[in-house]
Amino acid sequence: MNKETILKEIRESLVEMEEEKVVELCEKTLELNIPAYETITEGLIPGMDEVSRLYEEEEYFLPEVLVCSDVMNAGLDIVKPHLDKSSMQEPIKVVMGVVEGDTHDIGKNLVRIMMEASGMEVHDLGRDVPLERFIEKAEEVNADLIGMSTLMTTTMDGMKTVIDRLSERNIRNKYKILVGGGPISQNFADRIGADLYTKDASEAVRRVKEIFGRA
Amino acid sequence: MVPTIMQKRSNLTEKERLLKVLKGEAVDRPPVICPGGMMNASVTEVLKDIEENHNIDLDAMTAAAKAVREITGFENYGVPFDMTVESEPLGAKIDLGDKFIEPRVTEYNNKSIEDIIQNYKVNPRDSHRMGITIQAVEKLKNDEIPVIGNITGHISTATSIIDPLYALKMLRKDPDKIYRFFQFIHDYSKEYAVEMIRAGADIIAISDPTATGEILGAKNFERFAIPFYKDMIATIHQFHVPVIIHICGNANTIIDSLNDTGVDAVSFDSMVNMRFAKSKLTTRLMGNVNTQLLHTGEQGKIESITKNCMDSGVDIVSPACGLSMATSVKNLRAMTEFVKRGI
Ligand code: B12
């Protein structure tokens, strides 16, 4: 089997949720000396891109997206140890969570999964996250980006509090701020001084890569 | 006493009006309600004179249900005020909320589905807040004002007990196992509904926010949601009690399947076009004043959206979904008073 065929099969099997097949194919790439980097960037990631396209088009729903993301991770587990570190850029470091008072985390998790799928390093703080935690964690891991999610109008002002506190401490410019979730809009993001708003997970990944010049 | 305009036009009690509408009979004007449970109006402003936590304390729960009606003008009593009552006895850790935040799950039960099914036995009457809610229904029972008992659907309860992402994955990876889990939750939720009816509930309202067409897709909705709703509704109907079901989000792909459930009224979110829904459904329609508008909008706009709702033929006027606790009484009254004034 040549490289093109095998990468194509990885993409297709991922979309078809065939975990064993993807694992097998990833093992085969190692036997064939296909660089792990290429398996990831031309097999697994484009496969997952296709999954998010199907999700946007309502061909796939959350159960399918979640299973595909597991399949991708199973593939990653095989090839990642063989990554030639020098071929890799430092990943974009993200601190991410659902703001205090809100426990809706399905959307945030989807954003995390898509970010991880595109190679970002995500520190997930979970849901109902005390506002101070976002700042603490970002400082601790030296993050590039703070992502905040909420689905409730009651809690959306928490995002502003985080941004204000960053400004008060003169560390606002160390981070890009990304916000999203049902009641959030571009207008709201502008008003609270966030750098970026996107309406869904795949757009978030595209735009974040763009602002960090990784598109 | 000088009769008010309303009394002149009709002498229906709030209970008669709502029950008649649910039977499909003609009334003077649509009732305006907020059923409770996920869609409740025990907002911060309504709770200000209630001392204890209305989610836990029986007297506070009853007082809050009455305060909602008196202060906001919604024409019903409804308990409880959240959707964690059913998941609490199954090992999910719950923060019981206060006057600013609803009760919510802080930690899922991380045992396996089999373990949970084997090791937990739920008897609604003895189960902390299910028991309190049943007693609250008993205390609220009366002749004039309809009392609505609210239950959370099996899918939302399941995804409050175990991690939602895990549960959603199971729909694909191990459908039989997750189906058994749903069945287990459904069985005690059904007992809970029956206990509320025995305690005097006039109506049962079901909401199941995690079971939207958008999250599950139509196929999964038909396979994992509909059969349980059908069974729940049939059981409740044995007691001659009507059922309202609330569907979150964009329901276009699942709307047809709702006709088969035997439900008396369906409530939709604000993005659902009620004229379209009406053309598809044989049941009564409830809805759907945008909740974000109710929180942040102006009174004039709230009135015009309420009017739109009525013009599009809803049988019962209500908020479109769950309210933010920061919603003002003034805004809620703009909606209820507009309906009561009549078209
Ligand atoms: C499922 C659901 C639930 C589930 C949540 C399960 C979970 N673990 O997440 C359960 C049943 C537990 C639940 C509970 C409650 N819910 Co609820 N719920 C929903 C519902 C129907 C769907 C949310 C969802 O998961 N959608 C699917 C995901 C994939 O979409 P998403 O979250 O929007 O995410 C996408 C984008 O928004 C974006 N995105 C999301 N986050 C981020 C972050 C960043 C950085 C970026 C860039 C993008 C981004 O990308 C995602 C994917 O593309 C919404 C209504 C709706 N249609 O949104 C109500 C809704 C959010 N719930 C609501 C309410 C009121 C509640 C309760 C308070 C009910 C109650 N009375 O107790 C409780 C919450 C308690 C609390 N304080 O936390 C209201 C909120 C109203 C308000 N206050 O503003 C809503 C809006 C319904 C309504 N009124 O219209 N709910």
Side-chain angles (χ1 to χ4, degrees):
Chain A
M1 216 190 292
N2 72 15
K3 189 167 89 181
E4 292 317 313
T5 337
I6 201 166
L7 292 177
K8 178 160 169 279
E9 275 197 34
I10 288 178
R11 292 193 293 269
E12 287 171 357
S13 312
L14 190 157
V15 173
E16 292 302 320
M17 296 171 258
E18 295 171 52
E19 180 161 335
E20 277 163 34
K21 188 137 180 237
V22 169
V23 166
E24 220 172 86
L25 288 164
C26 284
E27 277 162 354
K28 202 170 246 162
T29 63
L30 297 175
E31 283 164 31
L32 296 175
N33 286 323
I34 299 172
Y37 182 75
E38 283 181 43
T39 306
I40 296 174
T41 55
E42 285 165 46
L44 295 169
I45 292 180
M48 207 54 203
D49 285 345
E50 173 64 7
V51 172
S52 38
R53 194 187 62 80
L54 291 169
Y55 177 66
E56 278 172 43
E57 289 181 357
E58 300 191 2
E59 286 275 326
Y60 272 13
F61 293 90
L62 268 167
E64 289 78 27
V65 176
L66 297 171
V67 173
C68 290
S69 118
D70 275 5
V71 174
M72 188 192 72
N73 285 328
L76 278 178
D77 284 346
I78 307 291
V79 294
K80 237 184 177 167
H82 303 271
L83 259 181
D84 171 11
K85 292 283 184 298
S86 62
S87 66
M88 296 250 301
Q89 280 177 302
E90 268 282 288
I92 301 170
K93 274 194 213 159
V94 183
V95 165
M96 171 98 159
V98 177
V99 299
E100 191 161 16
D102 189 354
T103 54
H104 292 92
D105 61 355
I106 298 177
K108 180 270 295 169
N109 287 338
L110 201 56
V111 178
R112 183 200 69 216
I113 287 169
M114 300 290 188
M115 283 179 158
E116 284 173 346
S118 76
M120 298 182 202
E121 177 184 318
V122 186
H123 300 264
D124 188 349
L125 301 175
R127 53 219 181 98
D128 204 355
V129 177
L131 302 176
E132 199 54 36
R133 262 314 270 157
F134 285 95
I135 303 176
E136 270 169 30
K137 191 73 189 179
E139 290 281 282
E140 178 194 321
V141 303
N142 203 4
D144 302 300
L145 179 99
I146 301 177
M148 292 184 278
S149 169
T150 191
L151 264 68
M152 303 187 27
T153 50
T154 337
T155 46
M156 57 202 272
D157 290 332
M159 297 179 170
K160 180 169 186 305
T161 310
V162 172
I163 297 177
D164 290 348
R165 286 187 194 167
L166 288 168
S167 305
E168 280 161 24
R169 292 170 208 176
N170 291 320
I171 49 175
R172 170 67 185 86
N173 293 333
K174 280 168 81 174
Y175 310 105
K176 296 284 180 205
I177 308 271
L178 169 70
V179 293
I184 310 303
S185 60
Q186 186 60 54
N187 194 335
F188 177 78
D190 293 342
R191 203 153 20 105
I192 65 171
D195 298 293
L196 192 59
Y197 156 79
T198 72
K199 71 168 197 331
D200 63 35
S202 8
E203 199 194 329
V205 170
R206 278 196 296 274
R207 298 287 306 282
V208 167
K209 283 183 161 175
E210 253 170 54
I211 59 172
F212 287 99
R214 307 278 176 93
Chain B
M1 201 178 86
V2 187
T4 65
I5 302 175
M6 241 183 69
Q7 281 166 327
K8 251 193 252 162
R9 276 219 325 239
S10 144
N11 43 25
L12 287 178
T13 63
E14 290 172 1
K15 185 156 155 172
E16 285 166 339
R17 185 181 290 108
L18 184 55
L19 290 176
K20 269 176 177 292
V21 165
L22 286 167
K23 283 195 199 118
E25 292 171 20
V27 290
D28 51 345
R29 62 160 172 86
V32 54
I33 70 167
C34 191
M38 187 276 307
M39 189 193 295
N40 76 76
S42 69
V43 296
T44 304
E45 216 183 318
V46 164
L47 296 170
K48 69 174 184 296
D49 295 328
I50 292 171
E51 260 173 44
E52 299 296 319
N53 185 338
H54 63 300
N55 299 305
I56 321 168
D57 180 85
L58 174 60
D59 290 328
M61 188 182 278
T62 340
K66 289 185 176 166
V68 165
R69 176 177 168 279
E70 273 150 33
I71 299 174
T72 66
F74 285 118
E75 301 174 299
N76 69 291
Y77 295 149
V79 283
F81 308 104
D82 74 297
M83 39 193 324
T84 59
V85 170
E86 295 91 340
S87 39
E88 195 183 342
L90 263 84
K93 289 215 179 69
I94 314 284
D95 176 322
L96 286 166
D98 52 35
K99 291 186 176 47
F100 301 94
I101 306 184
E102 309 80 0
R104 56 206 185 282
V105 178
T106 53
E107 235 176 89
Y108 301 116
N109 187 335
N110 54 20
K111 296 205 185 66
S112 73
I113 287 176
E114 289 89 350
D115 271 1
I116 298 178
I117 294 179
Q118 271 172 22
N119 295 326
Y120 291 81
K121 163 110 190 64
V122 182
N123 176 359
R125 269 209 170 266
D126 310 327
S127 284
H128 193 201
R129 290 185 307 130
M130 278 194 252
I132 293 167
T133 309
I134 294 165
Q135 291 174 54
V137 168
E138 212 149 34
K139 288 185 128 196
L140 288 166
K141 184 174 137 190
N142 73 94
D143 290 335
E144 292 180 0
I145 299 149
V147 178
I148 304 181
N150 290 275
I151 55 177
T152 307
H154 61 285
I155 296 185
S156 298
T157 298
T159 51
S160 297
I161 298 165
I162 59 172
D163 186 315
L165 295 195
Y166 175 75
L168 289 172
K169 254 185 285 192
M170 283 291 125
L171 300 185
R172 273 254 157 209
K173 285 193 158 171
D174 200 342
D176 293 338
K177 194 202 278 183
I178 194 76
Y179 199 93
R180 281 198 300 281
F181 191 45
F182 289 153
Q183 184 75 55
F184 171 70
I185 291 163
H186 171 75
D187 289 342
Y188 72 75
S189 302
K190 208 161 69 171
E191 282 174 42
Y192 175 42
V194 169
E195 288 293 344
M196 287 204 276
I197 294 169
R198 295 211 168 104
D202 299 299
I203 296 163
I204 298 291
I206 308 170
S207 57
D208 204 356
T210 310
T212 73
E214 287 161 308
I215 294 178
L216 299 182
K219 280 200 205 99
N220 286 324
F221 186 80
E222 274 157 38
R223 178 167 176 201
F224 295 100
I226 290 283
F228 294 102
Y229 298 157
K230 260 190 187 162
D231 181 56
M232 176 69 81
I233 292 161
T235 306
I236 297 170
H237 278 172
Q238 286 171 8
F239 296 84
H240 307 287
V241 166
V243 183
I244 300 172
I245 191 161
H246 173 77
I247 304 290
C248 286
N250 179 344
N252 291 349
T253 61
I254 57 172
I255 208 161
D256 288 320
S257 59
L258 293 166
N259 276 323
D260 312 329
T261 59
V263 73
D264 300 277
V266 185
S267 150
F268 287 115
D269 214 336
S270 54
M271 65 270 261
V272 173
N273 179 320
M274 289 307 223
R275 285 200 172 85
F276 169 77
K278 193 126 199 150
S279 74
K280 289 269 186 182
L281 283 182
T282 52
T283 69
R284 263 62 65 198
L285 265 192
M286 171 167 126
N288 68 345
V289 180
N290 188 309
T291 49
Q292 193 160 357
L293 177 75
L294 284 168
H295 178 192
T296 56
E298 291 157 14
Q299 279 170 277
K301 180 84 180 162
I302 292 170
E303 289 186 352
S304 77
I305 294 294
T306 307
K307 178 168 189 304
N308 272 351
C309 262
M310 294 165 79
D311 291 347
S312 64
V314 303
D315 302 285
I316 303 167
V317 182
S318 73
C321 201
L323 293 166
S324 159
M325 287 191 75
T327 307
S328 71
V329 164
K330 189 179 78 190
N331 282 2
L332 294 172
R333 285 201 79 97
M335 167 182 169
T336 59
E337 279 166 14
F338 183 84
V339 179
K340 291 181 190 178
R341 249 180 272 145
I343 309 174

